[in-house]
Amino acid sequence: MSDTTPAAPRRIRLGDLLVAQGAISAEQLQQALAQQRRLGRKLGQTLVALGYIDEDRLLRILAEQLKLPLVDLRQRELDPELVRRLPETVARRHRAVLIEDTPEGYLVGMADPTDLFALDDLARRLNRPVKPAVVREGDLLEVFDRVYRRTDEIQDLAEALGQALSEAGDDLAELLQVTTDEDVPVARLLKSIFEDAVAMRASDIHIEPDEDVLRIRQRVDGVLHEQVMKEKQIAPALVLRLKITAGLDIAEKRLPQDGRFNIRVRGRQIDVRLSTMPVEHGESVVMRLLDQSGGLLDLDGLGMPPDVLAAFRRIIRAPHGLILVTGPTGSGKTTTLYAALQELNEPDKKIITAEDPVEYRLPRINQVQVKPKIGLGFVEILRAALRQDPDIILVGEMRDRETVEIGLRAAMTGHLVLSTLHTNDAVHTADRLLDMGAEGFLIAASLRAVVAQRLVRRVCESCARPVQASERERAWALAVCGVDARDIEQRRGAGCARCNHTGYRGRIGVYELLEPDEAMIDALRAGDALAFAAAARANTRFKPMHHQGLGWVRAGITTIEEIMRISAQRVEDE
């Protein structure tokens, strides 16, 4: 081993140590070793995965035995420049991150500080002594994704692409020839953009040409983050490459186009839904990223409160009727419907879906993609589906009068119909359906329930701290919820590297569930949307979503500011 490495920890047998400490039994160790041999994973990972020991306890025992510091990377502000002194490939291979540069050498966080080969290699590469510290592997991977971002690489590739295009000229044939090669800058640039977006957990990528610049924006936890490039001339090449990949018409620049393709990024299978739109300075592209490898959430993972979840489970087991999930674009409606379908997907049920597009492939379910160009719309699919003897029908969206009427009649004639609708809340669903031309008596006979939902940002656990509600938040809580916010202990993120200094990390759903009672049904029969809304608000079982939202605030999961943002009700001074 290198002379530059001081007093590296000796190799220990982790399993024997844990047995000696009483953390696991000898039998559990043998079972874990057998599992480890089958899967080729590290023993510590195997023990945690089997539930034999908590990861925090494992790391504490390891740190105490080796007399090494235990560092919580979630609470540590790392210097990105220091971290990047270790190349990403080396950092990921050895599961190591540079934490601190001290006069004695580098403090290096490691998932396995007993890996003597890794320690020796790190000391040789850095040409300085290294002292290991124990860190959680999951926190390490988050640091890698955050620090080894592709921002600088994207800028360098954009400049290279700009230079290549200036040499090739603006001829379409030349440009097309350039974009077919995987090694040219346009291909590498898009690869870096996708890798950066996946690392940042972005749901969408926006490519927007402006008068003098090109903007690349990512939507993370519902908020857009922007990178501006002066190489505006590369926009047509990016759009052209994406159109080719999605199988779109590369010559059509005057009309919007939609397409999709699959890519593999950082070991994940990503389904990309692409939309192009002509704008003043070229074509704007928006790509929705769907991680197919992550799996779908089930109903228990949606974040519904127990009473709403129990009611929703009961409702979707009804033999017939219409169930609507409402909310704006990006509020998680499709996720809720897919979670319901997963629960209903049984051998004795025939399920047919009409979707635009089919986002996730589900076994045993007959999923049909809407194709307007050949005359296959929601209406045509619904009519054909009813002749296929279905028990359950999912309609991607209630968009027009004809789709609504067929869906309502199907719900009246022994089918369970699930669909989405764009409304602000559950109360205004009747108003929307009546505006679309649906007959009140059909809605009254068919509508079983409406779920309205929004997504709110979670407070970052790494920088969360108790805060008092502001005067504006108190005024809103009192006017809308009848609650004195001074009695609510809320947390807010101060902003740290882990949450990109936003104070939030991740999102959770906020829901309201409305089941029509007799008063609401009578209002529907009369086609009176105002009476329906009044009856809904008077129903003691109906709890508006801001009430559940305040529950998340009390639990320290989100903030009053977030609930105000998604609430349909405002106070005058806002």
Side-chain angles (χ1 to χ4, degrees):
M1 201 169 87
S2 171
D3 293 336
T4 57
T5 306
R10 68 186 185 280
R11 170 62 69 180
I12 62 170
R13 294 174 61 89
L14 178 62
D16 294 340
L17 170 64
L18 295 175
V19 172
Q21 293 278 339
I24 62 172
S25 66
E27 181 182 358
Q28 288 175 327
L29 173 60
Q30 294 306 313
Q31 292 173 350
L33 288 171
Q35 181 84 339
Q36 179 195 21
R37 285 190 290 270
R38 283 197 301 271
L39 300 180
R41 302 171 68 182
K42 290 183 179 294
L43 179 59
Q45 293 176 326
T46 306
L47 288 166
V48 172
L50 290 172
Y52 292 160
I53 188 170
D54 177 76
E55 183 181 18
D56 287 344
R57 187 181 181 194
L58 170 66
L59 296 180
R60 283 197 302 271
I61 292 174
L62 192 61
E64 289 171 5
Q65 180 69 21
L66 297 175
K67 296 180 172 54
L68 295 177
L70 176 60
V71 177
D72 186 350
L73 293 178
R74 294 174 298 180
Q75 304 294 334
R76 190 75 173 246
E77 189 75 22
L78 299 180
D79 179 359
E81 293 299 324
L82 172 64
V83 173
R84 283 195 284 264
R85 291 181 191 176
L86 195 62
E88 181 180 6
T89 54
V90 178
R92 288 187 182 275
R93 182 167 70 248
H94 293 321
R95 292 293 194 264
V97 62
L98 298 184
I99 297 175
E100 189 176 350
D101 184 358
T102 70
E104 293 78 28
Y106 289 112
L107 179 65
V108 182
M110 300 182 68
D112 181 9
T114 68
D115 189 339
L116 303 184
F117 170 79
L119 283 166
D120 188 45
D121 189 45
L122 291 172
R124 179 180 59 80
R125 288 177 180 275
L126 295 167
N127 198 29
R128 288 196 64 196
V130 296
K131 178 182 178 181
V134 182
V135 297
R136 296 183 191 86
E137 184 170 12
D139 294 346
L140 257 183
L141 297 177
E142 286 189 0
V143 169
F144 295 157
D145 288 344
R146 184 175 70 244
V147 175
Y148 294 109
R149 287 197 63 186
R150 298 292 193 265
T151 307
D152 294 338
E153 180 181 298
I154 289 170
Q155 183 60 55
D156 292 341
L157 287 170
E159 293 174 2
L161 177 56
Q163 180 65 29
L165 292 178
S166 64
E167 294 172 359
D170 297 326
D171 181 70
L172 181 61
E174 287 286 333
L175 197 55
L176 179 56
Q177 184 178 0
V178 169
T179 58
T180 56
D181 188 344
E182 292 296 328
D183 289 329
V184 296
V186 65
R188 299 205 305 271
L189 174 55
L190 284 171
K191 180 175 181 289
S192 291
I193 289 172
F194 281 118
E195 287 183 345
D196 189 54
V198 170
M200 293 302 292
R201 303 173 298 108
S203 60
D204 304 85
I205 301 172
H206 298 240
I207 299 176
E208 302 170 343
D210 210 333
E211 183 176 4
D212 300 312
V213 296
L214 174 66
R215 304 180 193 277
I216 307 290
R217 302 204 279 175
Q218 300 175 356
R219 191 176 294 279
V220 180
D221 293 337
V223 177
L224 285 170
H225 300 266
E226 180 176 88
Q227 182 175 359
V228 179
M229 303 175 184
K230 64 179 183 300
E231 295 80 13
K232 182 206 164 184
Q233 73 275 19
I234 70 174
L238 294 177
V239 175
L240 179 61
R241 177 77 183 201
L242 291 168
K243 282 184 175 180
I244 292 172
T245 307
L248 302 182
D249 184 354
I250 62 174
E252 180 57 75
K253 301 178 181 178
R254 303 165 301 168
L255 297 173
Q257 297 188 68
D258 296 308
R260 69 188 301 169
F261 57 90
N262 288 283
I263 57 173
R264 191 163 186 82
V265 182
R266 292 177 171 263
R268 302 178 188 175
Q269 196 65 34
I270 307 295
D271 186 33
V272 182
R273 288 168 45 190
L274 179 144
S275 171
T276 70
M277 185 175 65
V279 294
E280 185 176 2
H281 300 290
E283 288 181 275
S284 169
V285 177
V286 176
M287 292 176 284
R288 171 68 57 88
L289 308 182
L290 301 170
D291 189 348
Q292 300 285 349
S293 59
L296 286 168
L297 291 176
D298 56 19
L299 287 179
D300 292 311
L302 293 178
M304 288 184 176
D307 56 336
V308 174
L309 178 59
F312 187 61
R313 274 204 161 103
R314 169 178 52 80
I315 292 163
I316 64 174
R317 290 291 177 179
H320 56 81
L322 174 65
I323 301 171
L324 292 173
V325 180
T326 76
T329 301
S331 59
K333 301 186 297 297
T334 301
T335 300
T336 298
L337 286 180
Y338 273 113
L341 282 188
Q342 284 196 108
E343 186 137 328
L344 296 170
N345 188 8
E346 298 167 348
D348 62 342
K349 295 286 193 304
K350 171 84 169 185
I351 303 176
I352 300 177
T353 74
E355 304 176 63
D356 184 20
V358 175
E359 295 192 6
Y360 293 94
R361 278 75 173 180
L362 300 174
R364 199 188 291 120
I365 294 177
N366 299 271
Q367 296 174 269
V368 186
Q369 168 74 52
V370 170
K371 297 177 181 176
K373 290 183 180 179
I374 62 171
L376 186 64
F378 283 117
V379 172
E380 290 75 22
I381 296 173
L382 271 175
R383 285 175 177 156
L386 291 173
R387 295 192 289 270
Q388 293 275 312
D389 188 31
D391 298 290
I392 301 167
I393 300 172
L394 182 144
V395 185
E397 183 183 344
M398 293 291 189
R399 292 181 177 176
D400 52 51
R401 176 177 179 173
E402 198 170 5
T403 306
V404 171
E405 287 194 350
I406 295 176
L408 289 170
R409 292 187 185 278
M412 286 180 63
T413 55
H415 305 89
L416 181 66
V417 179
L418 298 90
S419 189
T420 69
L421 194 68
H422 284 275
T423 62
N424 286 329
D425 54 29
V427 169
H428 289 93
T429 300
D431 200 1
R432 176 77 175 124
L433 291 173
L434 291 168
D435 280 348
M436 293 173 73
E439 298 288 347
F441 73 90
L442 282 177
I443 305 173
S446 305
L447 187 62
R448 290 289 172 267
V450 181
V451 176
Q453 64 182 77
R454 295 287 192 282
L455 294 175
V456 295
R457 292 180 291 173
R458 289 175 174 266
V459 172
C460 175
E461 290 296 329
S462 296
C463 58
R465 61 185 183 186
V467 295
Q468 295 293 319
S470 67
E471 289 298 327
R472 179 169 171 266
E473 291 170 341
R474 291 177 187 174
W476 177 85
L478 190 61
V480 174
C481 308
V483 172
D484 188 345
R486 288 176 296 185
D487 298 331
I488 298 177
E489 292 185 8
Q490 68 168 332
R491 298 193 307 162
R492 186 186 300 276
C496 64
R498 190 164 185 255
C499 63
N500 203 23
H501 299 282
T502 63
Y504 297 98
R505 181 174 171 81
R507 291 189 290 178
I508 191 171
V510 181
Y511 302 85
E512 63 185 25
L513 175 65
L514 179 62
E515 289 186 78
D517 58 13
E518 285 190 26
M520 285 183 262
I521 292 172
D522 288 342
L524 289 173
R525 288 198 189 100
D528 190 339
L530 290 176
F532 176 87
R537 293 190 179 100
N539 189 312
T540 56
R541 292 184 303 167
F542 174 63
K543 296 179 181 177
M545 68 175 68
H546 51 257
H547 282 283
Q548 186 210 341
L550 285 181
W552 288 143
V553 174
R554 290 187 176 94
I557 294 173
T558 191
T559 61
I560 296 177
E561 177 185 48
E562 277 293 285
I563 306 306
M564 291 170 62
R565 182 179 62 82
I566 58 98
S567 177
Q569 293 178 273
R570 310 286 180 180
V571 293
E572 289 301 318
D573 64 353
E574 287 187 57

